[in-house]
Amino acid sequence: MTLTETAETLLVDDANWWRQAAVYQIYPRSFADANGDGVGDLRGIISRVPYLQNLGIDAVWLSPFYPSALADGGYDVDDYRGVDPKIGTLEEFDEMVEALHCAGIRLIVDLVPNHSSDRHIWFQEALRSPKGSPARDRYIFRDGMGENGELPPSDWTSIFGGSTWTQVEDGQWYLHMFATEQPDFNWDNPEVREDFLTTLRFWSDRGVDGFRVDVAHGLAKKLEDVLPSKAEMAEIQKSGEPGAHPLWDRDEVHDIYSEWRRVFDEYTPPRIAVAEAWVARDRRPRYASADGLGQAFNFDLLQADFDAQQFRDIIRDNLDLAAASGSSTTWVFSNHDVVRHATRYGLLGTVEKADGTAIMSTPGKAKAWLLHGAPEDELDRDRGLRRARAATLLELGLPGSAYLYQGEELGLHEVGEIPDEARQDPAFFRNKGVEVGRDGCRVPLPWSSDGPSLGFGPGGTHLPQPSWYAEHSVAAEDRDPGSTLNMYRRALELRRELQAGETLEWVETGDPDILHFRRPNGWEVVTNFGNAEVPLPKERIVLASGPIDSTLPAETTVWIAP
Ligand code: NOJ
């Protein structure tokens, strides 16, 4: 029997494997570095497969590993069917797939279809080609405004700040919703459509189990000759009229995904996809439908405060939505774009905007805290971690899939102390003074308590690790039975028993700070969001997010076996 056959037999041929999966996101350049150049690589991932297996995840979501100038951490792709030589080769990719599959772990890769990098051969060809040429038609080129076309075609601001338009040598402008180095594709162009189908098959043929689709709500655009102004677009957004915005969440985007679905279904089991679609909650089911991508991220908990009522409403609404779309829901607390949840939950007091109004949302507060220099006296680290652990145990007890971000299993906090000269995120450079960007959650992982890069690799690290990282290393937490790492391991192990059925039933406690639910097979999850301990509802506790005695302490979750 070959290794591949072994892998295939280990991964049961189950078309529904994703519905309740625990998926672990690897940001490859910060996970593990085998060759010592300070940047994580595929060999590094291969070397850590036993760690992933021991953690108990079902799948890995691998953030972009394609050739890239890293203008946006790899989300600027030069070649959709290659591996960045700085982090590996196609042969190593195949080896990694095999190693993961042999460990019973599936692989979802990140696909970035809204934009390529400006180094992509098609964009280079577009630059060399004249106005109106087929090469320019693969992207979105426009003449400028003003007497000589010297002004951008519209006043739009890119997601990372600055104009969405950049002028090229012959005077035309191209659209980039993100950084200058990320030109948006024209999805009305048949070659673009065809090429992505080839890419989907290319990776599916290599054994990839699915795709995480970046900016899934952005591909279809309706750009008339006269473009609306920023203010007009804000009005359209405010009106909430479904599918009316020229740039985001247009209905036509689903035609693209039904084509993709036909490709996914050519495989056994069908390849899966999860949409990163920042759309109104009731627009999510279309992305998640079975004739579309199949699943969509739900970022509602990520945006919520540590608050029982908010959590309960979000859980109820998303389970209803998932049932309506036939999909399962997804839960996320952290990823490579947001301040880590241990930190979000540990920020004290309210933060004020320049105009004196309070920033209430937890993620907004966290961004503002980073911008103010991440003052240590405004962060209660222990409390943040206590709440993060409680929230995670609640999440892992919910129906649906849980997307976990590397390092959260170590209880890592955001790294606030990155000097400006070390920063990499385009959001920092393009949005100076408004945000510091996302580097603080992308600092290379600590694997051991000492050594130059805390076991990340034999060389340095491409972003500096803070001194407090050592106590959160895998080696340190491995030894400590009460560590966050060991809590995740135990939860992921027990989750295999707990995850039966895709529903839950609320157990009413009469206490607004307590959430208590029961799964169809009798497992129960109880979270105390409040500040006071409460009597423990029952015995048979098999797991707790913090020390427990005869009561359920503040900010703690317990799992109760049937
Ligand atoms: C969403 C990704 O998660 C983020 O990291 C990236 O900057 C943008 N899309 C643009 O690709």
Side-chain angles (χ1 to χ4, degrees):
M1 191 185 272
T2 66
L3 257 182
T4 319
E5 281 163 348
T6 324
E8 276 162 9
T9 37
L10 255 171
L11 290 178
V12 188
D13 206 0
D14 173 10
N16 287 322
W17 67 265
W18 51 275
R19 295 189 74 91
Q20 309 240 31
V23 184
Y24 181 88
Q25 182 190 357
I26 291 185
Y27 188 76
R29 294 174 176 86
S30 301
F31 185 67
D33 173 22
N35 67 6
D37 65 356
V39 177
D41 44 39
L42 300 188
R43 283 241 156 268
I45 297 176
I46 295 169
S47 73
R48 299 297 178 181
V49 168
Y51 171 79
L52 298 171
Q53 187 173 25
N54 191 241
L55 183 58
I57 51 159
D58 301 299
V60 159
W61 148 26
L62 184 63
S63 278
F65 52 87
Y66 312 103
S68 168
L70 302 184
D72 179 19
Y75 286 87
D76 45 320
V77 177
D78 296 351
D79 171 8
Y80 289 88
R81 302 194 278 274
V83 172
D84 189 342
K86 294 190 288 299
I87 68 174
T89 62
L90 263 181
E91 290 66 40
E92 284 171 340
F93 183 89
D94 294 341
E95 224 181 286
M96 178 187 71
V97 174
E98 179 124 327
L100 287 167
H101 282 174
C102 283
I105 299 170
R106 318 233 180 203
L107 176 65
I108 297 173
V109 295
D110 221 313
L111 189 71
V112 191
N114 181 65
H115 44 264
S116 70
S117 91
D118 59 353
R119 307 198 313 178
H120 191 284
I121 50 164
W122 275 0
F123 193 71
Q124 287 301 314
E125 191 189 340
L127 290 182
R128 289 193 307 269
S129 304
K131 281 186 187 184
S133 59
R136 286 224 172 158
D137 189 59
R138 297 184 191 119
Y139 293 89
I140 301 171
F141 279 85
R142 281 283 172 120
D143 290 329
M145 308 278 279
E147 226 167 280
N148 302 307
E150 71 283 7
L151 299 172
S154 68
D155 64 347
W156 303 343
T157 306
S158 93
I159 309 280
F160 295 145
S163 173
T164 53
W165 298 97
T166 292
Q167 197 168 24
V168 301
E169 241 171 51
D170 64 13
Q172 274 212 305
W173 300 74
Y174 70 87
L175 179 77
H176 51 88
M177 294 311 300
F178 293 86
T180 312
E181 298 85 350
Q182 294 169 294
D184 281 44
F185 278 120
N186 170 17
W187 273 88
D188 289 332
N189 181 297
E191 263 188 288
V192 170
R193 292 205 181 210
E194 198 50 45
D195 196 63
F196 270 90
L197 300 182
T198 306
T199 297
L200 293 176
R201 291 196 178 95
F202 179 86
W203 295 110
S204 300
D205 289 344
R206 297 196 104 85
V208 154
D209 301 282
F211 300 87
R212 176 263 186 193
V213 182
D214 191 62
V215 200
H217 57 312
L219 278 50
K221 298 181 177 73
K222 188 167 181 15
L223 303 179
E224 309 277 8
D225 287 343
V226 179
L227 298 173
S229 67
K230 188 155 76 172
E232 284 164 343
M233 290 208 299
E235 281 308 311
I236 301 175
Q237 182 81 25
K238 232 171 51 208
S239 78
E241 195 191 323
H245 200 284
L247 300 172
W248 305 116
D249 190 27
R250 299 196 57 79
D251 290 335
E252 307 88 87
V253 80
H254 299 290
D255 301 340
I256 300 171
Y257 300 137
S258 45
E259 271 182 0
W260 290 18
R261 169 53 55 191
R262 286 196 284 278
V263 174
F264 299 149
D265 289 349
E266 287 166 10
Y267 295 85
T268 310
R271 299 317 188 224
I272 71 133
V274 55
E276 187 220 19
W278 291 88
V279 296
R281 197 179 281 175
D282 60 347
R283 298 277 292 172
R284 227 180 268 145
R286 273 197 83 183
Y287 293 85
S289 75
D291 52 6
L293 293 176
Q295 202 180 40
F297 279 126
N298 145 28
F299 296 118
D300 296 350
L301 281 185
L302 181 153
Q303 292 175 293
D305 301 326
F306 186 77
D307 175 88
Q309 193 57 49
Q310 287 186 38
F311 269 56
R312 183 170 173 154
D313 293 347
I314 288 171
I315 293 166
R316 181 201 54 219
D317 291 351
N318 281 291
L319 291 178
D320 289 351
L321 273 184
S325 70
S327 184
S328 63
T329 195
T330 55
W331 306 110
V332 187
F333 282 117
S334 280
N335 63 32
H336 65 298
D337 287 334
V338 296
V339 174
R340 285 186 179 276
H341 63 292
T343 301
R344 293 203 307 270
Y345 291 148
L347 293 176
L348 306 167
T350 49
V351 178
E352 287 188 354
K353 287 198 240 172
D355 66 4
T357 53
I359 297 176
M360 296 309 293
S361 87
T362 308
K365 207 160 111 174
K367 272 182 153 187
W369 172 78
L370 279 179
L371 187 66
H372 296 168
E376 200 55 34
D377 60 352
E378 288 176 18
L379 172 65
D380 183 337
R381 286 179 179 266
D382 292 344
R383 184 172 200 199
L385 181 55
R386 183 165 67 243
R387 289 172 156 191
R389 287 172 58 135
T392 298
L393 264 203
L394 184 156
E395 173 195 33
L396 292 175
L398 287 172
S401 34
Y403 282 79
L404 312 170
Y405 177 53
Q406 67 180 37
E408 69 168 80
E409 79 278 22
L410 303 174
L412 288 185
H413 273 279
E414 185 80 0
V415 180
E417 56 272 57
I418 299 179
D420 286 0
E421 56 281 11
R423 292 210 171 263
Q424 300 174 4
D425 188 354
F428 170 74
F429 299 103
R430 292 179 65 93
N431 228 349
K432 272 232 176 305
V434 178
E435 58 172 308
V436 298
R438 302 158 295 178
D439 296 312
C441 62
R442 301 175 178 184
V443 173
L445 287 193
W447 292 92
S448 53
S449 315
D450 46 31
S453 65
L454 301 175
F456 170 66
T461 56
H462 65 99
L463 280 168
Q465 294 167 316
S467 54
W468 51 264
Y469 243 41
E471 73 194 66
H472 288 284
S473 71
V474 171
E477 295 209 12
D478 195 38
R479 292 188 291 267
D480 172 6
S483 70
T484 305
L485 176 60
N486 282 319
M487 182 195 86
Y488 269 73
R489 285 174 173 159
R490 184 79 181 120
L492 288 166
E493 186 187 350
L494 290 174
R495 183 178 151 90
R496 292 178 193 273
E497 290 172 40
L498 171 150
Q499 288 292 14
E502 290 185 21
T503 55
L504 58 75
E505 173 200 351
W506 293 105
V507 178
E508 299 304 339
T509 62
D511 183 334
D513 284 330
I514 305 290
L515 286 193
H516 183 168
F517 61 84
R518 187 182 297 115
R519 298 297 302 274
N521 56 0
W523 280 79
E524 290 175 50
V525 176
V526 190
T527 304
N528 179 359
F529 284 81
N531 293 324
E533 57 186 13
V534 294
L536 261 190
K538 262 197 184 175
E539 282 159 355
R540 306 192 315 275
I541 290 175
V542 287
L543 188 60
S545 65
I548 50 164
D549 208 336
S550 53
T551 58
L552 178 59
E555 304 177 334
T556 303
T557 295
V558 290
W559 282 14
I560 302 169

